[in-house]
Amino acid sequence: MIRVAVAGAAGRVGETVCATVEEADDLELTGRADPKLGTSVEDVLEGADVLVDFTQPDTALDNARAALAAGVHVVIGTSGFDLEGLRAAARDAQANAFVAPNFAIGAVLMMRFAAEASRHMQRAEIVELHHAAKLDAPSGTAARTAEMMEGDVPIHSVRLPGIVADQEVILGDVGQTLTIRHATTDRTSFMPGVLLAIRRVADVPESPVVGLEHLLFGE
Ligand SMILES: NC(=O)c1ccc[n+]([C@@H]2O[C@H](COP(=O)([O-])OP(=O)(O)OC[C@H]3O[C@@H](n4cnc5c(N)ncnc54)[C@H](O)[C@@H]3O)[C@@H](O)[C@H]2O)c1
């Protein structure tokens, strides 16, 4: 049994993570941390093997530091936080950190195909579309996609009700365009990736590992 605590447990994604962990035979949900529930990350670290964090850009690093200091592995889905700060915190820690800008398999494939396509077409731009309550822009997925692609790739951010998390990568060349589009219709799309990370974070060869592709394709 892997004992799992969730930070951001009352949030849109955190609630889905709690339900998914409760349904898994090899996982036990040991704590829900969220100011909305009156519980802090410190309250839930004791007795946990892994902390899953879907919180806010300004809290994820402190949560991760607390987990690593307590010897608890951390799986982070929060976007827009200070990754360099995490690298520093993970350097001397006994526990491991795993971060994914996007836990949906389709999004991971979109990033991979976009990186490949950018090597063969002149220019590209990214349009990322999210729900209106998203705190950061550009999205972590868009920033990571641009990083993986060749050339300078501008990002356009759309925030509207009715959207979960979509992204289009549009590539242009002489007389043609290519569009690679990923649409998220439900937050359950992230759960297979989150479960994989929970099960594997204790055994990753380096820390932090950034990107689900490292667990999916062994890269
Ligand atoms: N990596 C991915 O695949 C992926 C997918 C979806 C969302 N996200 C990211 O996950 C994060 C959460 O998204 P959401 O839509 O669930 O947001 P949300 O606002 O619905 O939930 C965030 C929750 O975190 C809680 N919180 C705030 N500070 C906290 C702290 N110090 N400790 C514990 N909990 C705290 C809030 O009270 C809130 O309930 C965002 O950064 C979002 O961009 C990542």
Side-chain angles (χ1 to χ4, degrees):
M1 273 297 205
I2 305 174
R3 293 164 298 176
V4 182
V6 176
R12 279 173 289 256
V13 182
E15 273 192 343
T16 313
V17 173
C18 288
T20 304
V21 167
E22 280 185 315
E23 279 169 20
D25 291 340
D26 58 334
L27 308 179
E28 183 190 351
L29 184 69
T30 58
R32 298 171 193 252
D34 199 303
K36 287 181 189 157
L37 304 173
T39 45
S40 71
V41 162
E42 283 72 15
D43 295 334
V44 301
L45 284 177
E46 204 184 314
D49 301 310
V50 178
L51 177 76
V52 179
D53 188 290
F54 279 90
T55 59
Q56 296 176 184
D58 59 347
T59 57
L61 179 58
D62 283 346
N63 291 349
R65 281 196 186 117
L68 292 174
V72 175
H73 303 299
V74 62
V75 170
I76 307 173
T78 309
S79 52
F81 77 96
D82 172 15
L83 190 57
E84 287 317 306
L86 180 70
R87 287 191 206 284
R91 201 169 297 135
D92 303 316
Q94 296 298 311
N96 296 331
F98 177 87
V99 185
N102 204 311
F103 280 96
I105 175 73
V108 176
L109 291 170
M110 167 191 61
M111 289 188 253
R112 192 184 173 99
F113 299 154
E116 169 71 13
S118 70
R119 290 204 283 276
H120 306 287
M121 295 188 74
Q122 274 181 25
R123 281 189 43 209
E125 303 208 2
I126 295 172
V127 183
E128 57 97 340
L129 311 91
H130 281 81
H131 59 90
K134 184 170 174 61
L135 294 177
D136 54 318
S139 72
T141 301
R144 177 74 183 132
T145 309
E147 215 174 80
M148 290 167 68
M149 293 173 70
E150 286 203 354
D152 185 25
V153 183
I155 302 171
H156 309 273
S157 300
V158 178
R159 298 288 175 265
L160 285 174
I163 301 171
V164 179
D166 299 350
Q167 179 168 302
E168 273 182 29
V169 183
I170 309 165
L171 299 109
D173 208 316
V174 182
Q176 61 190 307
T177 64
L178 168 67
T179 302
I180 304 168
R181 182 168 209 283
H182 178 252
T184 310
T185 52
D186 191 278
R187 290 182 176 83
T188 49
S189 62
F190 306 120
M191 295 307 121
V194 172
L195 288 176
L196 181 66
I198 291 170
R199 290 175 178 136
R200 298 273 298 277
V201 65
D203 301 320
V204 291
E206 55 177 15
S207 173
V209 170
V210 181
L212 196 65
E213 62 273 20
H214 298 286
L215 302 186
L216 290 172
F217 314 126
E219 290 160 1

